[in-house]
Each structure stands twice: as C-alpha cells, then as structure tokens.
C-alpha cells in the first residue's frame, strides 16, 4: 500500500476561547494567539488511519503539509508516529488560499510523488472548519472520495470505510485508489515512540517550492482562490448568567430546581 | 449564459422533505425575493421522489427531478453528476444544500466539478445590494470568529448549518413546474457500494427533537455518571447528550455527541453538566433557549452562555436537584 496523508499546522483549537483574538483593524488577518501551533487534530487521526493499514497490510506513508513557518517539531509528528517521509509545500505563495487553491497545490505534489493507493485527509481543519480540501484533491485527481470515516480497512484490493452518519454509520466499499477523510470516531492517534522521535529528528523534510511541482503562483494561495473573505469578527457574548447558590452544593441543586420552576423551565 | 435564480438541493427521508430542506426552502425563498429571481429545487433518488417533488413544487417555481436506480443510496459520484447535470440546464446563481451527512460531502465535490467553489456550514445568508453577490457568514476557528465570504465563481454554493435558519411557513403557490431530468450516467463511473447502514439510535426522545437535553462532559468521569443523567432525563422527558471527550472515551455512544462535528440541537432547556463550554461544543447547543450549567470551575466558559448556573461538584449538586424536581412534580 502506498499511502499519502495531508496534514495542516493550526493554532491550538483547544486553547481557551478567551485567548483567541483577532486584530479588528487588520480586516481579514487573524492574529496568532500565544498558544503554540499543533497539527489539526483530525489530521493526526488521518495519520493514525494510515498507520493502522500499514500495520495490517504493510506499505509506506508519505505526509504532505502546506503552509508557511511550519514548525518542524509540529509537522514532524507523523514521522515520529511511524510515517516514512515528509514533504513540505512551504512558501509564502502557497498560503492564504481557499480549499480550492490549497487542494490544487496538494494535488500537484501528489502527482509528483507518483503512484499511490490511498490518500487521507482530516475531515476538516480546526481553523477554517471548511472540510473541502479532500474533495478538491479527489476532483482534480479523479478519485473516489469517502468522507468522515470512523474505520478504514483494506481487503481484497478494495478499501472498506465506515462513514459516520447522523444516526450511526454506513459501510462503504470503494475501489482503489481513493481519498478518505477521517473523523475523531476513528479513535485516539497513537503516541510517538522514543525510536520514532529519534528517527524523526534525523529525517529531513523535502521542501517543494511551487516551481518544483510545476505550479504557477497565480493559481495557488490567495491568488488562486475562488472565494474571498470580506469581513471577520469575534462574536460578543454578554453573560447574563444568574448564579444559584445554597447552604451547600446539594442545597444549591435544590435551589436551581426552584429557580427553573419559577422560570417555567420544568 | 448568465447565472440566475436560487436553487436548493432537497433531501428526502421516508418520502418526505427532511427538516433541513424546509429550512433551505425558507432561506432560498428569501434570497430569491431579494434578487427578484426564481427559486428552484433539485430532488434526486430512486423511485421515491414523486410525492416529495409534488410538495416541493408547491413552494418553488421549478423542481428538477432526477430519478435513477444509481441514486438509491447516496454516493458522491452519482449525486455530483446530478448536480452538474441540473445546473447545466438551469444555470442557477446560488445553490444551497444542508450541512448534513450528504450535503457536506456533496457540495464541495459538485462545486469543484463545475469549476466553482463552496462555503460550508454557513449560519447566515445575504445578498450584497451592490452586485447581487451572495454573502455567507460562517463560523471559523470552531466558532471563535465569524467570517463573511463571497464566491467569485458561479453557481455560488453554500451548505447551511442545521437549525440555523428559521423554518418559515413557506407559502404554497402550487404553481411550480416539475421537470424530469435523465441522469444518463454510466454505472461504471460509480466505484463505491454501500454494504450496510447501521442505525445506532437511542431509545426514547431523539436528541434533535428533544425539548429538554441533559448533556454530560469530561467531568462526568465515566459511564456511571451518565446513568444518573439518564434517570434525570427520564424524569424531565428529555434526552441525554454528551461532549466529544465523553464519546471519545467510550462512556456513551458516538451519536450522542453535541457540537460542531456532532449534532446541532435547539431544545428549550439544555442542562450542561461538567462541560467546560468550548466554542466547538457551543456550536451545537447555542440555539437552546435556556442553557443551565453545573460546573465546579466558576470560570468555565459555559457560564457565559448560561441563564442559570451552579458552581459545584455534580455528584453533590445533582441529587439535590433531582430530589427537588421530583418534589415540584409531585412525584
Ligand atoms: C475541529 C474540532 C471539532 C470539535 N467538535 C466538537 C464537538 O462537536 N463537540 C464537542 O463537545 N467537542 C468538540 N471538539 C472538542 C472540544 O474542543 C473540546 O475538547 C470539548 O468540547 C471539551 O469537552 P468537555 O467540556 O466535556 O471537557 P473539558 O473541556 O475537559 O471540560 C470538563 C469540565 O468539567 C468540569 N468538571 C470536572 N469535574 C467536575 C465535577 N465533579 N463536577 C462539576 N464539574 C466538573 C471542569 O471544570 C471542566 O469545565 C472539537 C474540537 C475540534 C478541534
């Protein structure tokens, strides 16, 4: 199995909401918070999905990450988990794109990598929450896509995917090659091993500039986008919470029930 | 050819228009009125679409019906072909879908196939008076920020967050024209097969329909705590929900997850127990009319959204609460 996983570096989505700030004067620029960047969590699960297939069926995993100022300890995490190589599309021309122009660049890199059986992405990035890059890559490369996977297995030359639905899941069988996007229901990504961390330290990522993969800069990043952000703002929350107390915690619970009854909420 | 009109992609469940479709019809009609253009709908499926098409025809100007055995189960390839085919005939300016299991998969793929782009999980739609462009509002960073986008290619495709639009009573004109479109897709183009569908629905009230929901978070500490929440839910005739960590830890079923990547609910009363109130969680419950929070951390973000709050350990607060509820209900 030759597998490719696309991963994105994002601001830590688990940082407390109070830390999150936007520069209101910068129109559409999001200020980095002081929280350290991480790999988008669903992308780590995508790496895990590929690793499970590598464990079961054998194969290799190439990881691709697109962005600028990619922190090596962040983007190397899949290597320390067991992936084989890391390719970085790192250049200012790649960034500030939309799902289309990002998928366009990633598809070009995948073409350069050559033959593959499976491509994995996270179901959505934790910053843009868009969930479209997988579809863009699949469309450009003419691949079958299955999104929001909770389980992925390869058997008899086909991929079997459990796809999360609103009321459960459905099992879909697809011919290879295919593109799968992965959701958290897959389960926790594995920890890096000591051996993995040492190996990851040694491996240098391959960096491809737009010219290396035959891309014109007007087709990628912000220039290649089909969508445009016209405004960004932070919703304001005015807290109107009435705190209910009591002689002790149990009593506070009783008072809460009374309050709710008064407000006709019971 | 100039792109004109607003089109919605209708989803049909059990022969009826699904709730999100009624939201789309309301939102689509408003945009169409603002533009002074037509509202149309796509209905696709196998053998089950005729009644739904009649209903949709009552509230739209045109319904494009695609009925084909290949459309029995949802699959991206066949449904993307449907959207492409109908848009080649109708040339809509705007195409709306629900941000559902189907819409979230279909909209981007169909949009890219048509050389255009989509924005997903939008919560507000407007028309720019200056140039008739669609402006969509979408939460980003898990809801920490809201962004307004426009698309520079047509049709402008957007998926709409469930329960973000009011289901307006859509006036039935009964004048909609039904247009049948042949899919004409080579079955060999479909490289996926649905082997089975597993429904893991809970007993009792469905989360989507519940007027009272009691949600437990990571602070419940295990499945035992959820038993107490279930008892309480029975008493209040409600349903039990969960934050993502409670699902990820296997304490409850995955389908009970409320939030950005779980279910979107809008009950009258949402009792959040040991839930910190991250924006990703609030994305699923901020439509609740009253949020009640029980949390041992006085600074928990959930309190900023709550109407009533109790600071304390749920293990001590809940027994008092339950006893008093029983008393008030005369049980
Ligand atoms: C892209 C993305 C999508 C996501 N989608 C979702 C989603 O759909 N739904 C979702 O829920 N999350 C989602 N998350 C995860 C989210 O970021 C948080 O991790 C999650 O919501 C936290 O759940 P929690 O509040 O239960 O846990 P925590 O944040 O750990 O909070 C636990 C709370 O319990 C309180 N507590 C602990 N013990 C007690 C006690 N004995 N009594 C009272 N209070 C107690 C603590 O004070 C704390 O406030 C998503 C994340 C990402 C990045």
């Amino acid at each position: 199995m030759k597998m490719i996983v696309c991963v994105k570096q994002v601001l830590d989505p688990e940082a407390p909401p109070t830390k999150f700030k936007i520069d209101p004067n910068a129109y559409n620029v999001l200020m980095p918070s002081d929280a350290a960047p991480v790999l988008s969590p669903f992308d780590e699960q995508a790496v895990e999905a590929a690793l499970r297939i590598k464990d079961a069926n054998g194969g290799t995993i190439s990881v691709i990450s697109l962005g600028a100022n990619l922190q090596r300890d962040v983007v190397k995490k899949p290597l320390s988990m067991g992936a084989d190589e890391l390719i970085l599309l790192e250049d200012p021309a790649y960034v500030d794109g939309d799902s289309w122009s990002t998928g366009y660049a990633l598809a070009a890199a995948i073409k350069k990598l050559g033959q593959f059986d499976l491509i994995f992405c996270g179901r959505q990035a934790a910053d843009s929450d868009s969930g479209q890059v997988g579809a863009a890559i699949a469309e450009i490369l003419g691949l079958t896509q299955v999104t929001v996977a909770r389980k992925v297995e390869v058997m008899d030359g086909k991929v079997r995917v459990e796809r999360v639905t609103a009321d459960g899941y459905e099992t879909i069988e697809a011919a290879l090659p295919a593109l799968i996007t992965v959701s958290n229901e897959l389960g926790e990504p594995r920890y890096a091993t000591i051996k993995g961390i040492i190996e990851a330290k040694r491996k240098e990522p391959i960096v491809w500039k737009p010219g290396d993969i035959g891309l014109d800069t007007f087709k990628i990043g912000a220039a290649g986008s089909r969508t445009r952000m016209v405004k960004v703002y932070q919703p304001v929350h005015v807290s109107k919470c009435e705190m209910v107390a009591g002689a002790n915690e149990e009593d506070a619970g009783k008072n809460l029930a009374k309050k709710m009854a008064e407000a006709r909420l019971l | 050819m100039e792109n004109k009109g607003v089109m919605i992609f209708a989803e049909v469940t059990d022969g009826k228009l699904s709730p999100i479709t009624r939201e789309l019809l309301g939102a689509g009609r408003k945009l169409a009125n603002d533009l002074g253009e037509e509202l149309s709908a796509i209905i696709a499926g196998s053998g089950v679409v005729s009644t739904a098409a009649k209903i949709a025809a009552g509230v739209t100007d045109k319904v494009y019906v695609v009925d084909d055995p290949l459309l029995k189960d949802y699959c991206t390839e066949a449904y993307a072909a449907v959207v492409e085919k109908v848009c080649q005939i109708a040339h809509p300016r705007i195409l709306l879908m629900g941000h559902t299991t189907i819409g979230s998969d279909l909209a981007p793929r169909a949009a890219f196939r048509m050389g255009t782009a989509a924005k997903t999980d939008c919560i507000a739609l407007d028309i720019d008076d200056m140039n008739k462009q669609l402006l969509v509002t979408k939460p980003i960073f898990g809801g920490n920020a809201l962004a307004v986008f426009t698309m520079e290619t047509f049709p402008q495709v957007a998926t709409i967050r469930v329960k973000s639009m009011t289901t307006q009573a859509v006036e039935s004109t009964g004048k909609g024209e039904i247009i049948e479109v042949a899919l004409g897709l080579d079955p060999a183009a479909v490289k996926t097969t649905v082997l089975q569908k597993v429904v893991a629905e809970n007993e009792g009230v469905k989360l989507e329909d519940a007027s009272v929901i009691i949600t437990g978070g990571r602070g419940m500490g295990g499945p035992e705590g959820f038993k107490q929440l279930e008892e309480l839910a029975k008493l209040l005739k409600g349903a039990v929900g969960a934050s993502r960590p409670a699902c990820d830890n296997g304490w409850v079923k995955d389908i009970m997850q409320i939030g950005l990547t779980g279910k979107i609910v809008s009950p009258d009363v949402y009792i959040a127990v040991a839930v910190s109130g991250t924006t990703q969680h609030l994305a699923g419950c901020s439509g609740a009319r009253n949020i009640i929070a029980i949390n041992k951390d006085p600074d928990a973000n959930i309190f900023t959204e709550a109407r009533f709050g109790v600071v304390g350990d749920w293990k001590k607060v809940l027994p008092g609460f339950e006893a008093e509820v029983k008393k008030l209900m005369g049980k």
Side-chain angles (χ1 to χ4, degrees):
Chain A
M1 281 290 124
K2 176 125 176 59
M3 294 174 279
I4 294 167
V5 188
C6 302
V7 302
K8 183 180 189 183
Q9 173 181 297
V10 298
L11 293 180
D12 186 357
E14 301 277 348
T18 43
K19 271 201 170 181
F20 188 86
K21 288 282 174 303
I22 281 176
D23 179 354
N25 304 314
Y27 179 54
N28 66 356
V29 177
L30 296 155
M31 292 291 284
S33 77
D34 55 353
V38 295
L39 275 192
S40 186
F42 296 125
D43 298 353
E44 277 191 30
Q45 265 130 357
V47 174
E48 175 63 28
L51 286 166
R52 287 184 193 173
I53 290 172
K54 186 177 167 179
D55 291 344
N57 307 66
T60 59
I61 301 172
S62 308
V63 175
I64 311 180
S65 190
L66 175 152
N69 304 320
L70 298 174
Q71 303 204 359
R72 295 304 188 259
D73 57 334
V74 174
V75 290
K76 275 188 169 185
K77 190 167 178 192
L79 291 177
S80 62
M81 290 164 71
D84 300 278
E85 64 171 346
L86 174 65
I87 290 127
L88 300 180
L89 307 186
E90 194 177 32
D91 192 274
Y94 288 122
V95 299
D96 293 332
D98 65 358
S99 308
W100 171 255
S101 60
T102 302
Y104 190 81
L106 287 167
I110 292 167
K111 274 187 210 155
K112 175 153 173 153
L113 280 173
Q115 271 259 289
F116 59 86
D117 300 293
L118 280 170
I119 301 174
F120 292 95
C121 298
R123 66 177 282 179
Q124 68 197 60
D127 51 2
S128 66
D129 284 322
S130 194
Q132 301 195 59
V133 164
I137 296 170
E139 180 60 25
I140 292 165
L141 300 176
L143 300 173
T144 303
Q145 75 183 47
V146 184
T147 54
V148 204
R150 68 197 282 277
K151 190 173 180 189
V152 189
E153 285 175 308
V154 172
M155 47 179 90
D156 310 325
K158 287 186 172 177
V159 61
R160 208 171 261 204
V161 186
E162 287 181 9
R163 172 170 199 257
V164 178
T165 60
D167 54 7
Y169 66 90
E170 56 191 17
T171 311
I172 295 172
E173 193 174 70
L176 296 174
L179 181 141
I180 317 286
T181 79
V182 177
S183 189
N184 56 289
E185 287 85 351
L186 184 102
E188 286 289 307
R190 68 194 60 191
Y191 289 109
T193 58
I194 303 288
K195 185 168 156 267
I197 293 170
I198 295 168
E199 277 178 20
K201 274 229 169 68
R202 274 200 219 113
K203 277 186 199 159
E204 271 317 302
I206 306 160
V207 180
W208 284 342
K209 296 285 169 186
D212 298 331
I213 45 177
L215 287 173
D216 293 321
T217 47
F218 70 89
K219 286 202 163 178
I220 56 174
S225 295
R226 292 171 175 176
T227 62
R228 192 163 44 87
M229 193 190 276
V230 292
K231 189 177 162 189
V232 63
Y233 58 101
Q234 271 184 276
V236 239
H237 289 294
V238 193
S239 178
K240 286 173 291 200
C241 186
E242 183 181 331
M243 287 298 183
V244 182
N248 53 39
E249 287 168 307
E250 188 172 343
D251 196 41
K254 284 186 183 159
N255 291 341
L256 175 64
K258 285 181 196 145
K259 275 276 176 207
M260 286 174 68
E262 273 168 36
R264 299 183 173 280
L265 300 182
L266 283 181
Chain B
M1 180 150 181
E2 198 195 344
N3 290 73
K4 259 190 141 172
V6 180
M7 177 174 274
I8 66 135
F9 178 87
E11 286 186 41
V12 182
T13 27
D14 305 326
K16 286 197 279 271
L17 298 179
S18 66
I20 182 68
T21 303
R22 280 183 266 124
E23 284 187 66
L24 293 174
L25 284 167
R29 178 54 83 191
K30 189 180 167 296
L31 294 180
N33 287 347
D34 288 352
L35 288 161
E37 295 178 5
E38 283 189 345
L39 175 68
S40 61
I42 306 180
I43 293 193
S46 173
V48 289
V49 292
S50 58
T51 31
K54 271 187 210 126
I55 304 168
V59 289
T60 56
D61 302 298
K62 282 194 185 90
V63 180
Y64 295 88
V65 177
V66 189
D67 201 326
D68 192 289
L70 282 180
L71 303 174
K72 186 173 154 286
D73 293 313
Y74 171 75
C75 88
T76 318
E77 192 51 45
Y79 275 76
V82 165
V83 174
E84 188 187 21
K85 192 92 191 241
V86 172
C87 288
Q88 274 167 1
I89 298 168
H91 300 282
R93 174 197 295 282
I94 293 167
L95 173 61
L96 305 179
M97 301 191 194
H99 196 71
T100 57
T101 302
I102 292 178
S104 60
D105 181 86
L106 176 60
R109 187 72 190 249
F112 296 140
R113 171 119 354 141
M114 297 187 287
T116 181
K119 278 294 165 195
T120 51
D121 208 12
C122 303
I123 56 165
L125 305 169
D126 290 289
I127 299 292
D128 186 340
D129 296 333
M130 305 279 286
N131 54 14
K132 290 191 170 189
Q133 292 269 5
L134 175 67
L135 298 172
V136 301
T137 304
K138 167 186 172 51
I140 54 174
F141 288 88
N144 277 307
L146 293 174
V148 180
F149 293 95
T150 189
M151 300 79 158
E152 310 198 305
T153 44
F154 292 96
Q156 297 174 302
V157 184
T159 67
I160 309 306
R161 178 173 292 183
V162 172
K163 296 192 173 160
S164 65
M165 310 277 150
T166 41
T167 21
Q168 285 152 296
V170 199
E171 264 173 63
S172 173
T173 59
K175 277 188 281 192
E177 184 188 349
I178 296 180
I179 300 160
E180 288 187 28
V181 178
L183 178 60
L185 183 69
D186 178 359
V190 178
K191 296 193 178 74
T192 54
T193 323
V194 178
L195 300 178
Q196 63 165 349
K197 292 186 186 188
V198 178
V199 176
E201 212 49 83
N202 284 322
E203 300 159 33
V205 192
K206 276 183 81 165
L207 274 169
E208 290 92 330
D209 307 331
S211 56
V212 178
I213 292 174
I214 305 170
T215 286
R218 186 175 354 232
M220 297 307 293
E224 302 77 29
F226 276 88
K227 296 231 167 70
Q228 282 198 43
L229 299 189
E230 256 155 46
E231 229 174 78
L232 202 49
K234 253 191 209 133
L235 193 62
L236 300 172
K237 298 193 177 58
V240 177
S243 71
R244 192 173 107 182
C247 299
D248 282 352
N249 283 324
W251 301 341
V252 292
K253 289 182 196 155
D254 289 333
I255 53 153
M256 288 162 71
Q257 181 181 321
I258 312 278
L260 182 66
T261 50
K263 287 196 159 74
I264 312 274
V265 295
S266 53
D268 288 328
V269 177
Y270 187 85
I271 307 177
V273 186
V275 172
S276 66
T278 57
T279 46
Q280 292 93 349
H281 184 79
L282 291 171
C285 66
S286 56
R289 273 161 296 288
N290 302 280
I291 294 179
I292 318 291
I294 299 172
N295 197 303
K296 67 174 186 192
D297 173 9
D299 296 323
N301 194 55
I302 189 75
F303 289 122
T304 63
E305 293 272 335
R307 177 162 177 201
F308 296 119
V310 173
V311 177
D313 184 343
W314 65 265
K315 291 190 195 97
K316 298 193 182 118
V317 178
L318 277 190
F321 179 70
E322 190 174 332
E324 190 64 24
V325 169
K326 278 187 179 151
K327 202 167 128 195
L328 289 163
M329 287 179 149
K331 283 189 182 170

